């Protein structure tokens, strides 16, 4: 993107060196840092943060896996090693408020770190974006038009059932001028993409079908041209499912922050 | 004759009370096999949850039609039991409709309510039998769900049929009694003018028109006895059946999880190990108690850091390693299968079924009880819940999506058991799938579940202005 604007990504180390404290720490997560597809989500979110002028920072190379997949797979030692190391870093920078685009990181930081000494206000980027939209700080009008497009939102388990966040991502999408269509299994009854609990990191057990295919069939059934997600694992699973159905030319999978960034022309 | 009936009745009542007490003791001993955990905190919230979810049946109304039908049986169960009080007192005292002369104005009103409910229960039980055996609702079918084969299906049929028979006995007893009253036979006639016909059973009176007085009294007695003995027998049966949920559902909801569904329970015994390994001050005791504000250990556990108390197993291999609430969950499960119908793994044909996890846990507990019976109360066999009942393939299929936990109408948590069994397999047996081991070592060495260099973690920022 060759705009007049230059996006900046300050690290906590930079901030600390100049004696500053950010309003909020953006926890990028492993997928947001390494996965080529999800890096684009990280970048979209960072552009929005820059655009609205929020003083944020990231940990950069000091960030490490929250330990969520290890814990769910049964490796409590590894989880707690990760958690303790991260908490040392976070507490060392006196972090108070965290935003993340990964529901797994969100759930772990919010619900599981306090007992190990990490107490922060943790919000998911869907809630954060919802706040920006409600405050009028994000207006979707300068960029791409969504008129006539059909979007369906896929609930992530660790956002929805795990933490009862069902409306925030939907309200974010409502800011776009698109048709929102719902699948049959939504909100508390939402069907998993198939990646949670460490499944992302192994082949599925023998069965009739892959979970992501089952879910994508349901999403395609709505006639949506866009499947919106709010989780890096859901992103991969839904994208793979769309490919499995040979629909990658007509149906796209986007994170909610990418859609907002597109709407803003960022 | 009357006194003989009274003696028989009191004897039956005492025998059932004794037997059920033994059953309760046995089941409670089985539940106490589980690990201790405090579930008496936040009494207000627990009470509120129990009122909404157990008494109010909130989660049953996800499907409103089924919710209403189940509510009819539930209300029938609770309210018709008020009539049992009179029946029992009549049985003990040798009286007939003891309360009628004392509460004459409201008596017919009460009996009419019981009759309407009884008719409702009967009708719903017929519908439920049809749903299971004629319409073949998928979650009940053994062809689709192997854990439903044989006994669970029979159990369901016995429960529904027993309830239908009990309601028929109750309604025809009232009808035959009404006819006897009309005819002024013996003490039945004494209530003439005090007790009128009832709202449902009045339509059954023609059935008894052809009976002579002796035959009618015989039917009235048989129906009365069948009804009350049926209830007593059913009460005993319930303790062996999935139908135990009618009693345990309430405490089960009261003691259910209050934390967010996504939160996995911490293992304080590991926190200590990790803190020692990282050279951090130890802040947690193995029993989960926190240190005081100065970071000192409470005095009674001083020295615990140097000589750690014996650490049990990591995770769970058998029912003793689970928490007591997991075991109460297992006894409360009525095998409705809403969890399994919502499970993404099960929907897509994997072996995992959350309902089977609960049924296996109960079956294992009952196997242990059987061992106590034949070999004494300290008997331990060499079987375990893991492997003998629940296989690695089932555990490994779980996405931890919590759909099963959300679906359960009485807040049972199959996921908690799955995760504890996984912990045992990984930490005690090192039995993770190879690709999980690779993921573990990546996290350990690269701080990410993939094989990327930690120093590349921030490279994405180079593309932010592309």
């Amino acid at each position: 993107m060759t705009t007049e604007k230059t996006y900046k990504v300050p690290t906590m180390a930079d901030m600390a060196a100049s004696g500053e404290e950010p309003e909020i720490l953006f926890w990028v997560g492993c997928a947001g840092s390494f996965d080529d597809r999800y890096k684009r989500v990280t970048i979209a979110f960072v552009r929005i943060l820059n655009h609205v002028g929020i003083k944020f920072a990231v940990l950069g190379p000091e960030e490490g896996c929250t330990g969520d997949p290890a814990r769910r797979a049964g490796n409590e030692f590894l989880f707690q090693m990760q958690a303790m190391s991260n908490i040392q870093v976070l507490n060392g920078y006196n972090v108070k408020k965290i935003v993340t685009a990964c529901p797994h990181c969100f759930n772990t930081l919010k619900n599981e770190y306090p007992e190990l000494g990490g107490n922060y206000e943790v919000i998911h980027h869907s809630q954060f974006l919802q706040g920006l939209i409600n405050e009028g700080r994000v207006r979707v009008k300068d960029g791409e038009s969504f008129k006539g497009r059909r979007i369906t939102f896929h609930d992530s388990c660790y956002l929805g059932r795990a933490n009862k966040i069902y409306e925030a991502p939907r309200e974010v999408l409502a800011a776009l001028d698109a048709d929102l269509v719902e699948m049959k299994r939504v909100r508390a009854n939402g069907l998993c993409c198939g990646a949670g609990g460490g499944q992302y990191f192994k082949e599925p057990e023998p069965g009739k079908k892959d979970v992501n295919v089952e879910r994508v069939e349901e999403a395609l059934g709505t006639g949506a041209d866009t499947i919106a997600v709010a989780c890096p694992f859901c992103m991969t699973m839904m994208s793979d499912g769309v490919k499995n159905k040979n629909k990658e030319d007509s149906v796209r999978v986007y994170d909610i922050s990418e859609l907002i960034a597109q709407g803003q022309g960022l | 004759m009357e006194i003989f009936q009274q003696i028989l009745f009191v004897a039956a009542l005492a025998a059932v009370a004794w037997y059920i007490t033994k059953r309760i003791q046995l089941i409670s001993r089985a539940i106490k096999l589980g690990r201790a955990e405090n579930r008496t905190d936040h009494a207000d919230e627990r009470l509120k949850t129990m009122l909404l979810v157990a008494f109010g049946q909130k989660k049953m109304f996800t499907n409103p039609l089924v919710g209403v039908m189940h509510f009819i049986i539930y209300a029938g169960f609770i309210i018709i039991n008020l009539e049992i009080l009179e029946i029992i007192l009549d049985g003990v005292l040798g009286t007939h409709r003891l309360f009628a002369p004392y509460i004459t104005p409201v008596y017919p009103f009460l009996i009419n309510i019981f009759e309407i409910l009884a008719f409702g229960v009967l009708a719903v039980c017929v519908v439920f039998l049809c749903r299971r055996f004629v319409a073949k609702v998928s979650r009940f079918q053994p062809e689709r769900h192997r854990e439903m084969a044989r006994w669970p299906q029979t159990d369901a049929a016995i429960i529904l049929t027993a309830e239908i028979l009990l309601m028929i006995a109750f309604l025809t007893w009232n009808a035959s009694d009404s006819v006897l009253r009309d005819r002024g036979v013996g003490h039945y006639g004494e209530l003439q003018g005090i007790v009128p016909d009832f709202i449902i059973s009045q339509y059954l009176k023609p059935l008894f028109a052809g009976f002579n007085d002796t035959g009618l009294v015989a039917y009235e007695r048989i129906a009365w006895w069948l009804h009350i003995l049926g209830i007593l027998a059913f009460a005993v049966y319930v303790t062996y059946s999935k139908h135990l949920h009618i009693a345990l559902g309430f405490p089960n909801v009261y003691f259910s999880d209050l934390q967010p569904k996504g939160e996995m329970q911490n293992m304080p015994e590991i926190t200590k190990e990790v803190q020692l390994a990282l050279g951090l001050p130890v802040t947690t005791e193995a029993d989960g108690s926190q240190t005081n504000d100065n970071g000192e250990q409470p005095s009674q556990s001083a020295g615990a850091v140097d000589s750690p108390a014996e650490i049990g197993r990591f995770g769970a291999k058998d029912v003793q390693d689970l928490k007591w609430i997991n075991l109460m969950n297992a006894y409360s499960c009525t095998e409705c299968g809403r969890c399994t119908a919502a499970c993404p793994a099960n929907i897509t044909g994997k072996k995992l079924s959350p309902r089977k996890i609960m049924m296996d846990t109960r079956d294992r507990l009952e196997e242990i009880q059987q061992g106590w019976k034949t070999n004494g109360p300290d008997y331990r066999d060499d079987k375990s819940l893991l492997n003998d009942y629940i296989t690695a393939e089932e555990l490994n299929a779980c996405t931890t999506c919590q759909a099963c936990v959300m679906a359960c109408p009485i807040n049972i948590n199959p996921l908690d058991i799955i995760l504890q069994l996984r912990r045992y397999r990984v930490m005690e047996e090192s039995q993770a799938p190879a690709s999980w081991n690779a993921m573990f070592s990546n996290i350990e060495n690269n701080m990410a579940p993939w094989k990327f260099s930690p120093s590349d973690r921030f490279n994405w920022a180079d593309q932010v202005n592309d």
Side-chain angles (χ1 to χ4, degrees):
Chain A
M1 201 158 188
T2 54
T3 58
E4 62 288 352
K5 185 147 187 171
T6 323
Y7 300 107
K8 293 200 175 77
V9 194
T11 62
M12 288 301 292
D14 298 339
M15 287 249 175
S18 54
E20 287 183 273
E21 271 195 9
E23 237 178 278
I24 196 159
L25 170 79
F26 172 31
W27 183 274
V28 180
C30 300
S33 303
F34 291 116
D35 179 82
D36 281 336
R37 177 65 189 89
Y38 220 67
K39 277 198 260 184
R40 304 220 301 271
V41 176
T42 306
I43 289 165
F45 189 60
V46 159
R47 285 179 180 173
I48 296 170
L49 290 173
N50 270 272
H51 184 71
V52 294
I54 282 164
K55 196 169 171 191
F56 77 99
V58 299
L59 283 173
E62 288 184 281
E63 190 187 279
C65 174
T66 60
D68 160 80
R71 180 172 238 198
R72 261 97 204 142
N75 196 334
E76 183 73 6
F77 271 107
L78 184 52
F79 162 72
Q80 292 206 14
M81 291 294 279
Q82 289 301 117
M84 297 281 187
S85 313
N86 284 323
I87 288 167
Q88 275 187 291
V89 173
L90 291 166
N91 290 354
Y93 283 121
N94 196 26
V95 168
K96 299 269 187 299
K97 196 171 174 186
I98 302 176
V99 62
T100 176
C102 173
H104 296 264
C105 296
F106 167 71
N107 177 67
T108 306
L109 292 166
K110 181 176 190 283
N111 296 322
E112 298 181 349
Y113 276 25
E115 204 167 333
L116 300 170
N119 292 288
Y120 322 103
E121 183 193 343
V122 187
I123 55 176
H124 185 253
H125 78 320
S126 59
Q127 301 170 296
F128 191 77
L129 290 170
Q130 182 197 17
L132 292 177
I133 290 165
N134 289 349
E135 291 163 20
R137 293 168 81 182
V138 162
R139 274 198 208 87
V140 190
K141 57 172 187 185
D142 303 330
E144 219 176 291
S145 168
F146 284 85
K147 229 176 182 58
R149 279 176 63 179
R150 282 166 84 86
I151 304 179
T152 190
F153 177 70
H154 161 76
D155 287 279
S156 150
C157 306
Y158 277 82
L159 199 57
R161 272 186 294 272
N163 292 292
K164 297 184 182 164
I165 298 170
Y166 302 113
E167 300 313 321
R170 288 180 169 82
E171 287 191 23
V172 170
L173 293 171
L176 304 169
D177 194 15
D179 288 338
L180 291 187
V181 285
E182 292 284 3
M183 290 182 258
K184 202 165 154 244
R185 291 173 280 196
V186 288
R187 296 189 171 85
N189 300 320
L191 184 77
C192 179
C193 70
Q199 296 301 326
Y200 190 91
F201 303 98
K202 66 187 257 305
E203 287 302 311
E205 300 304 309
K208 295 191 304 249
K209 200 184 202 178
D210 285 340
V211 178
N212 61 334
V213 174
E214 166 89 11
R215 185 54 163 172
V216 162
E217 285 172 356
E218 191 177 354
L220 296 178
T222 64
D225 54 63
T226 302
I227 300 172
V229 296
C231 168
F233 296 154
C234 297
M235 169 72 84
T236 306
M237 299 306 276
M238 298 306 278
S239 304
D240 286 354
V242 169
K243 268 180 223 145
N244 179 288
K245 291 273 146 193
N246 294 315
K247 293 280 182 198
E248 65 264 45
D249 294 332
S250 51
V251 178
R252 296 295 167 88
V253 184
Y254 285 115
D255 179 82
I256 53 168
S257 63
E258 290 180 299
L259 294 170
I260 292 298
Q262 286 166 16
Q264 287 191 297
L266 300 178
Chain B
M1 182 61 193
E2 198 57 58
I3 190 74
F4 173 71
Q5 281 196 37
Q6 280 171 260
I7 292 168
L8 199 66
F9 184 81
V10 172
L13 210 58
V16 167
W18 174 80
Y19 195 81
I20 288 183
T21 309
K22 298 295 273 183
R23 290 290 300 158
I24 292 172
Q25 284 168 346
L26 188 64
I27 291 166
S28 120
R29 190 174 164 217
I31 290 174
K32 284 180 186 150
L33 277 176
R35 282 190 292 119
E37 180 171 76
N38 180 21
R39 292 267 173 161
T40 53
D41 56 324
H42 299 91
D44 294 359
E45 201 182 339
R46 293 188 179 282
L47 199 62
K48 197 178 142 207
T49 312
M50 184 168 73
L51 288 175
L52 274 175
V53 174
F55 286 96
Q57 312 231 314
K58 186 179 160 202
K59 291 171 91 177
M60 281 303 292
F61 287 90
T62 312
N63 177 340
L65 185 63
V66 174
V68 167
M69 289 196 287
H70 184 269
F71 198 87
I72 291 171
I73 298 195
Y74 156 75
F77 163 72
I78 300 223
I79 296 169
I80 300 175
N81 274 343
L82 295 173
E83 168 63 358
I84 307 291
L85 183 68
E86 187 186 43
I87 294 175
I88 286 179
L89 288 174
D90 277 346
V92 173
L93 303 171
T95 49
H96 183 66
R97 295 199 184 273
L98 174 67
F99 296 159
Y102 300 102
I103 52 166
T104 310
V106 291
Y107 190 82
F109 172 74
L110 286 174
I111 302 287
N112 283 345
I113 291 180
F114 300 150
E115 284 207 345
I116 291 168
L117 282 167
F119 182 72
V121 169
L122 198 159
V124 172
C125 285
V126 171
V127 174
F128 279 3
L129 275 175
C130 290
R131 276 170 60 82
R132 190 177 285 261
F133 295 103
V134 182
K136 291 196 173 281
V137 170
S138 165
R139 61 186 153 92
F140 299 132
Q141 303 313 314
E143 298 78 26
R144 170 69 182 80
H145 300 286
R146 64 199 161 115
E147 70 271 20
M148 296 311 286
R150 294 181 296 275
W151 169 244
Q153 205 61 328
T154 314
D155 190 14
I158 290 173
I159 294 160
L160 291 168
T161 312
E163 288 183 6
I164 290 171
L165 292 176
L166 287 174
M167 295 306 121
I168 290 176
F170 177 65
L171 291 171
T172 57
W173 168 63
N174 276 349
S176 61
D177 183 51
S178 294
V179 176
L180 284 166
R181 197 161 51 243
D182 294 345
R183 293 187 192 171
V185 178
H187 71 268
Y188 299 100
E190 290 165 19
L191 290 175
Q192 238 177 32
I194 298 173
V195 177
D197 283 356
F198 303 118
I199 194 160
I200 305 284
S201 58
Q202 59 180 326
Y203 300 109
L204 301 172
K205 282 167 68 182
L207 292 175
F208 301 100
F211 282 52
N212 63 27
D213 290 354
T214 321
L216 201 53
V217 170
Y219 186 86
E220 187 274 338
R221 280 295 83 196
I222 289 169
W224 188 90
W225 275 97
L226 277 183
H227 178 240
I228 189 65
L229 286 182
I231 286 172
L232 296 178
F234 194 61
V236 171
Y237 178 78
V238 160
T239 67
Y240 292 94
S241 156
K242 77 191 188 80
H243 210 47
L244 191 53
H245 86 293
I246 61 172
L248 281 181
F250 299 97
N252 189 72
V253 172
Y254 183 84
F255 294 122
S256 62
D257 307 332
L258 297 179
Q259 82 274 24
K261 288 197 171 53
E263 182 180 336
M264 246 179 104
Q265 197 168 39
N266 195 43
M267 294 179 69
E269 64 271 37
I270 285 181
T271 308
K272 201 169 111 181
E273 301 287 317
V274 170
Q275 284 170 330
L276 289 170
L278 292 174
L280 296 167
V282 174
T283 57
T284 316
E285 274 304 295
D287 62 3
S289 64
Q290 302 290 317
T291 52
N292 61 27
D293 292 345
N294 305 322
E296 292 162 19
Q297 304 292 329
S299 55
Q300 75 273 17
S301 57
V305 181
D306 306 319
S307 53
E310 194 192 337
I311 290 176
R313 271 172 187 158
F314 290 135
K317 182 187 186 190
D318 204 353
V319 284
Q320 294 90 342
D321 308 321
L322 295 170
K323 292 170 284 188
W324 67 269
I325 186 68
N326 300 131
L327 309 184
M328 181 181 260
N329 278 180
Y331 272 110
S332 307
C333 174
T334 196
E335 302 164 11
C336 74
R338 284 173 177 76
C339 52
T340 293
C343 173
N346 194 278
I347 289 170
T348 56
K350 278 80 173 176
K351 274 208 176 126
L352 175 63
S353 161
R355 167 174 54 191
K356 180 176 172 291
I357 301 287
M358 303 318 301
M359 292 169 73
D360 283 344
T361 304
R362 179 167 176 177
D363 287 349
R364 171 63 186 145
L365 283 167
E366 290 187 347
E367 184 183 40
I368 289 175
Q369 291 176 0
Q370 212 50 48
W372 292 342
K373 238 185 226 165
T374 44
N375 300 294
D378 299 317
Y379 178 73
R380 298 287 292 267
D381 58 18
D382 53 3
K383 288 194 187 172
S384 60
L385 181 62
L386 180 65
N387 301 327
D388 289 311
Y389 286 82
I390 300 171
T391 61
E393 186 177 330
E394 293 165 66
L395 298 175
N396 288 345
C398 176
T399 70
T400 73
C401 76
Q402 313 127 45
C404 54
V405 189
M406 184 62 86
C408 180
I410 55 166
N411 292 355
I412 289 172
N413 189 340
L415 174 59
D416 194 33
I417 297 180
I418 294 172
L419 291 172
Q420 291 179 73
L421 295 173
R422 271 191 183 178
R423 279 176 167 167
Y424 179 83
R425 274 182 50 81
V426 168
M427 290 190 284
E428 294 279 357
E429 292 188 319
S430 306
Q431 286 286 354
S435 44
W436 271 359
N437 282 329
M439 179 257 288
F440 295 153
S441 84
N442 286 331
I443 292 179
E444 212 171 329
N445 300 318
N446 310 323
M447 307 288 277
W450 302 287
K451 218 179 178 84
F452 291 110
S453 164
S455 58
D456 292 342
R457 195 175 184 97
F458 195 37
N459 290 357
W460 61 267
D462 300 340
Q463 300 163 34
V464 78
N465 285 304
D466 289 350

